Amino acid sequence: MDKDINELRSEINDIDREFVELFIKRMGVSLSVAEYKKKTGMPVLDRARERELLNRVAKMSGDDMKTYTRLLYSTVLNLSRSYQHRFLDNTSALSEKILSASANTADVFPSEAVVACQGVEGAYSSLACEKLFRYPDIMFFDSFDGVFSAVQNGLCRYGVLPIENSTAGSVNKVYDLMSKNKFYIVRSIRLKVDHSLLAKKGTALTDVKEIFSHEQAINQCSGFLNSLSGVKVTVCANTAMAAKMVAESDRRDVAAISSADCAGLYGLCSLSSDIQDTGNNYTRFICICKDLEVYPGADKTSLMMTLPHEPGSLYNILARFFAYDINLLKLESRPLKDRDFEFMFYFDIESPVHSDGFSRVITELSGSIDDFTYLGSYSEVL
């Protein structure tokens, strides 16, 4: 007679009990291995040993189950390494730096500061800055590099820059500059972006032969631009700068994709409003600082990593987040130009900086990944 569901579940429960007991026993031996490695100076990761183990258990399990066994033991080995790191590295220099910054940062984010923004008056960066700070003293620069230089040289305490858009994706140039300059994110904000086509008063849409704007805004309005015939699209440094160029031009056949605020600011009229591809168009801006500042309530952390081009490398990172109950808010990759088949990964994770899981994952990642960049822990203004 076939077993009923309750008998089958009872049998699984018995197996699980043995399984857990053996797992705990294995992790205990793994800790003894960590003690030996600490005494002898051996690294936690032994790729040859892990490869040999995975091949051995796969052969033991037979053709039908070897794929599942490899997956199971890959997870077990990842947990074992994590457990060994917990013993060997109770904390890292980076996790201590984060906690120290949290203890020494002011209790309240400043309401006024000298802030660097890219573009000219009316740029979306300046609108974001005015939402982040109640009384900002804004200095404008022509490029993202100029913003970083201003903060680096002490001309401004903070800089406000776009980091990603819900339609066009991440601003890779800003990520690259963050990594190059070793700056930190101290706060972020999401700003709803509604683009308008602005031109001089008296200009009709049919008169327009050339449109200026920033490349991100152009990408976000691709549908509208594709509907126009015989119109040249020219990239410029900033949407507000595009509006200013149109206002100062002698031509009557030019227009700019910019914010509605720039219409009043530069004496232009709107030929068409809300021309972005989606009505739910948001750009996320970050506030950067040369020194690490971690304000109360910081529950978001941005990271950059280059991972080995091999099976399971990304899975091993995600498994750590899962093990420590850390929510993943963003995962994005981009190919590295100077390295064949290697990718840079952007991560945004959600976890209070004082949580035990956050400290452990930062300790493990900073100690085991060669190309690892911590970009800051902060809260986001809605």
Side-chain angles (χ1 to χ4, degrees):
M1 182 177 178
D2 293 338
K3 297 178 181 179
D4 65 20
I5 188 64
N6 291 325
E7 290 175 310
L8 292 171
R9 285 174 174 170
S10 178
E11 189 173 342
I12 286 178
N13 289 341
D14 291 338
I15 294 171
D16 285 342
R17 191 177 300 108
E18 294 178 27
F19 201 160
V20 171
E21 290 174 356
L22 289 172
F23 174 71
I24 293 172
K25 184 177 180 179
R26 191 189 195 285
M27 293 294 277
V29 176
S30 178
L31 189 58
S32 297
V33 171
E35 293 172 346
Y36 179 85
K37 288 179 176 179
K38 185 175 183 179
K39 291 177 182 177
T40 58
M42 293 175 62
V44 168
L45 177 59
D46 185 340
R47 293 188 187 278
R49 159 67 179 166
E50 291 196 1
R51 185 167 55 251
E52 183 274 329
L53 189 152
L54 290 174
N55 289 334
R56 175 163 49 84
V57 296
K59 291 178 181 178
M60 291 167 55
S61 59
D63 290 341
D64 188 48
M65 294 298 297
K66 66 180 182 181
T67 300
Y68 300 101
T69 304
R70 281 183 181 275
L71 179 58
L72 170 63
Y73 270 82
S74 293
T75 302
V76 170
L77 290 173
N78 188 44
L79 293 172
S80 179
R81 286 196 305 272
S82 177
Y83 194 44
Q84 290 185 28
H85 274 298
R86 180 180 173 185
F87 170 75
L88 295 172
D89 310 306
N90 289 324
T91 185
S92 65
L94 176 57
S95 60
E96 290 179 354
K97 181 178 181 179
I98 295 169
L99 291 177
S100 175
S102 176
N104 293 303
T105 300
D107 291 337
V108 180
F109 191 75
S111 60
E112 54 184 274
V114 181
V115 186
C117 290
Q118 186 263 342
V120 295
E121 194 68 52
Y124 286 111
S125 291
S126 68
L127 300 180
C129 182
E130 289 171 349
K131 289 183 178 294
L132 286 166
F133 299 91
R134 189 172 183 182
Y135 306 110
D137 182 1
I138 303 176
M139 299 182 68
F140 290 101
F141 297 87
D142 291 339
S143 64
F144 294 153
D145 300 78
V147 172
F148 279 89
S149 294
V151 178
Q152 177 66 51
N153 296 323
L155 192 60
C156 300
R157 179 177 174 183
Y158 299 109
V160 172
L161 295 154
I163 194 69
E164 66 176 326
N165 176 264
S166 56
T167 302
S170 295
V171 184
N172 291 326
K173 174 68 172 177
V174 174
Y175 272 108
D176 292 342
L177 288 169
M178 287 291 295
S179 179
K180 176 184 175 182
N181 292 280
K182 307 301 180 187
F183 280 16
Y184 300 100
I185 304 171
V186 297
R187 188 141 293 196
S188 69
I189 185 171
R190 289 183 184 271
L191 187 70
K192 191 173 188 303
V193 175
D194 296 315
H195 294 304
S196 297
L197 186 67
L198 307 182
K200 288 184 176 180
K201 294 177 180 178
T203 300
L205 182 58
T206 53
D207 298 329
V208 176
K209 300 300 180 185
E210 186 172 9
I211 295 175
F212 301 98
S213 196
H214 186 267
E215 60 182 341
Q216 284 271 334
I218 292 170
N219 292 336
Q220 293 160 26
C221 301
S222 60
F224 173 81
L225 293 173
N226 290 335
S227 70
L228 304 178
S229 178
V231 176
K232 179 183 178 183
V233 178
T234 301
V235 174
C236 64
N238 186 269
T239 55
M241 196 173 294
K244 185 178 180 183
M245 288 169 56
V246 169
E248 295 175 351
S249 174
D250 294 330
R251 296 170 58 184
R252 310 289 300 184
D253 62 349
V254 292
I257 296 175
S258 189
S259 68
D261 290 351
C262 284
L265 189 61
Y266 293 107
L268 302 174
C269 66
S270 176
L271 301 182
S272 187
S273 59
D274 297 331
I275 62 173
Q276 62 277 358
D277 293 339
T278 172
N280 191 32
N281 184 34
Y282 286 84
T283 294
R284 182 165 159 248
F285 291 84
I286 54 172
C287 180
I288 61 169
C289 186
K290 182 167 65 172
D291 300 317
L292 179 58
E293 298 178 1
V294 182
Y295 287 91
D299 60 356
K300 190 171 187 175
T301 295
S302 294
L303 308 168
M304 292 172 60
M305 303 175 220
T306 301
L307 302 180
H309 182 58
E310 59 188 33
S313 59
L314 178 58
Y315 169 79
N316 288 334
I317 302 300
L318 300 180
R320 283 188 170 95
F321 294 149
F322 175 75
Y324 291 126
D325 195 28
I326 291 175
N327 189 30
L328 183 63
L329 300 174
K330 174 181 179 177
L331 169 57
E332 188 173 333
S333 66
R334 58 180 280 219
L336 296 174
K337 294 181 180 179
D338 56 340
R339 304 186 200 176
D340 291 337
F341 305 110
E342 287 200 31
F343 291 80
M344 174 67 74
F345 289 87
Y346 305 145
F347 296 87
D348 284 347
I349 60 175
E350 184 179 39
S351 179
V353 295
H354 294 285
S355 70
D356 186 48
F358 176 81
S359 179
R360 289 182 185 177
V361 82
I362 290 296
T363 295
E364 291 179 19
L365 293 178
S366 61
S368 61
I369 297 176
D370 294 333
D371 198 349
F372 173 87
T373 303
Y374 167 77
L375 297 177
S377 298
Y378 52 95
S379 58
E380 185 161 286
V381 179
L382 301 177

